[in-house]
Amino acid sequence: ETSSATPTAAGAEEGEGKTSMATMLMLDPNVRNWVMIPITFAMLLIGVLRHLVAKLMRGSATAKIKSIQAKQLIQRSQYLRAHSGFLSRAAFNQRKEFFCDKEKGAFCQKVDPSLNPQQQMMSDPSMLSDMLTKNLTMVVPQIVTGAWVNFFFSGFVVAKVPFPLTQKFKLMLQRGVDLSSLDVTYISSLSWYFLNLFGMQGLLQLILGEKTFDDTQVMQQQMSMGAGGLDAPNAFKAEKDQLEMMQHNFRVAKFVELAAK
């Protein structure tokens, strides 16, 4: 009985050793020197070039006064809703009437048609060309660099996260490496490319000393139909409805009661 139990225990120990060896890797310094660093340097260089090209191709667009006034009016209404608890009921109603009065309210006045994004694009062809320019400077470098990384550096494991992660991060960190036994903390070369693509804005701003080309901002502007990104008629109506449905709650009185206790 003793002799039959000993090989079983030894086999279990060997199985555990094989599993731990399969999940943990020793990263080669050559992978760091010839895969990880080139990808990082290439993404940094492309980010700088994209910023310079975007500055050259960017038109001398000047903000319109009416558009700025409309945005500031909506911001004032949002601040009123956020901080209404620090105003008395009379002060809140006075400000609410300024925005929502049916005759003189700021949100009830006739809106300039030029503040409609669709009207802006039809009357100003430069907005469409500006959108196409931003598309070119955003999509073309991503396609080229993605194909370059996928062709030359596919299948490499380049780094390891120094803290534990759940299995939900495996798909994000190990693209191009199909190993179910690989620990989730390892990062593949393709995932390292995506991390550099979306996480290098701060470093580029530090190097260039100014705001850089932001992909997410371009996507938001395209979804909002135009470079201005403000549909004033619909925005005024939505903000007016929210103000009218809002119930005032004076918070300062409660603070005084709590302080008195």
Side-chain angles (χ1 to χ4, degrees), residues 37-54 137 141 145 148 196-197 200 203-204 207-208 212-213:
I37 294 178
I39 292 175
T40 305
F41 180 76
M43 294 303 300
L44 183 62
L45 182 61
I46 290 174
V48 174
L49 292 176
R50 286 177 62 192
H51 174 71
L52 297 177
V53 171
T137 54
T145 53
W148 172 67
N196 281 272
L197 177 63
M200 199 168 280
L203 182 59
L204 289 173
I207 295 174
L208 299 172
T212 58
F213 193 86

Side-chain angles (χ1 to χ4, degrees), residues 57-62 64 119-134 226-228:
M57 300 179 68
R58 188 184 306 159
S60 56
T62 57
K64 295 182 178 180
Q119 295 289 338
Q120 291 180 13
M121 292 184 65
M122 294 179 64
S123 60
D124 189 6
S126 63
M127 294 182 60
L128 184 59
S129 62
D130 185 51
M131 186 182 300
L132 292 175
T133 299
K134 290 179 179 179

Side-chain angles (χ1 to χ4, degrees), residues 92-106:
F92 173 75
N93 290 333
Q94 184 179 6
R95 289 165 172 79
K96 182 179 178 180
E97 184 179 359
F98 168 78
F99 289 109
C100 302
D101 186 72
K102 294 182 179 180
E103 296 181 357
K104 301 180 180 179

Side-chain angles (χ1 to χ4, degrees), residues 239-252:
E239 194 64 31
K240 176 177 175 291
D241 293 341
Q242 291 184 8
L243 266 179
E244 289 179 341
M245 291 186 298
M246 183 178 178
Q247 295 182 355
H248 180 257
N249 184 17
F250 189 48
R251 302 177 186 175
V252 178

